[in-house]
Amino acid sequence: MLRHEFQPGKLVAGLFLTATAAVYAGDAGGLWEAPWFAVVPLVVGGLCLAGATAALTRGIRRRSRAEGGQR
């Protein structure tokens, strides 16, 4: 199996989208009532947080490579 870089931005996005799916699964299963617009803050907030995480990760990796800490 080929190794790849860990990308925390994708992890954050996946967690928020999974949380959104869990909210709607609970609503479909009758465990609770979720309004139709509950997806908007979860998805938009998750994507914004994922973008910020990806930008921070890119900056950290770029800085460490510039300082000579290449792997």
Side-chain angles (χ1 to χ4, degrees):
M1 179 175 183
L2 296 176
R3 303 222 13 124
H4 59 277
E5 281 188 334
F6 174 65
Q7 297 176 348
K10 289 184 179 182
L11 175 67
V12 170
L15 289 175
F16 272 88
L17 292 176
T18 302
T20 303
V23 167
Y24 279 114
D27 185 29
L31 297 175
W32 57 75
E33 283 288 321
W36 64 268
F37 54 83
V39 71
V40 175
L42 280 172
V43 172
V44 172
L47 290 177
C48 288
L49 188 59
T53 304
L56 180 66
T57 303
R58 182 178 178 194
I60 290 171
R61 287 183 179 163
R62 183 178 283 177
R63 187 173 198 173
S64 69
R65 287 184 182 144
E67 291 176 353
Q70 290 183 350
R71 301 192 254 176

